[in-house]
Amino acid sequence: MSTVELTKENFDQVVSDSGFVLIDFWASWCGPCRQFAPVYDAASERHDDLVFAKVDTEAQQELAAAFEIRSIPTLMIVRDNVAVFAQPGALPEAALEDIIGQARKLDMDEVRKSIEDQKNEQK
């Protein structure tokens, strides 16, 4: 499966229509981004049940700012409209596979409960 190019126009729809989205925040001038791209593309071929998306931080500066992207590449995973992972840096294949596996195993009811508990503690 090829990756989806995310823009401010299609971001909400793609993320809400998909239960599990990996997002690569990148830029064409970024060496580590170019290094990570083949690893990310290969993972998209292995995990055709997941949505692999890319945000060009140069073209989509509002999206990058909204997610407070400070360095690229940054990988973010969104499950059921909840960001469950975000980390800058080019990941090697084994680390990317490990993160995907961990994100698949998450109990999203537990994640939502934990978020709700944190919100309640802040009140």
Side-chain angles (χ1 to χ4, degrees):
M1 178 178 193
S2 63
T3 58
V4 176
E5 187 67 33
L6 289 181
T7 65
K8 66 180 184 178
E9 291 78 20
N10 72 356
F11 185 90
D12 289 339
Q13 181 176 359
V14 170
V15 171
S16 63
D17 289 353
S18 311
F20 197 126
V21 185
L22 291 92
I23 305 168
D24 175 20
F25 290 87
W26 69 284
S28 60
W29 52 261
C30 165
C33 297
R34 290 193 305 272
Q35 177 186 357
F36 180 57
V39 173
Y40 190 74
D41 291 341
S44 75
E45 297 295 323
R46 285 190 299 276
H47 300 280
D48 59 0
D49 59 323
L50 307 180
V51 174
F52 283 73
K54 289 181 155 296
V55 173
D56 179 345
T57 57
E58 290 294 309
Q60 300 297 321
Q61 293 181 15
E62 287 180 50
L63 268 181
F67 287 97
E68 300 179 356
I69 302 303
R70 302 272 182 256
S71 63
I72 52 176
T74 290
L75 176 67
M76 180 177 288
I77 299 177
V78 179
R79 270 198 62 195
D80 302 340
N81 292 314
V82 177
V84 296
F85 178 85
Q87 177 179 310
L91 296 169
E93 185 176 325
L96 179 57
E97 289 298 320
D98 182 52
I99 290 165
I100 291 170
Q102 289 181 49
R104 282 186 186 274
K105 292 176 189 171
L106 286 174
D107 180 335
M108 290 309 294
D109 290 332
E110 294 261 331
V111 170
R112 281 188 283 280
K113 182 181 182 317
S114 175
I115 292 168
E116 191 62 34
D117 290 349
Q118 287 177 6
K119 285 180 184 175
N120 290 334
E121 287 174 12
Q122 293 174 355
K123 290 182 180 176

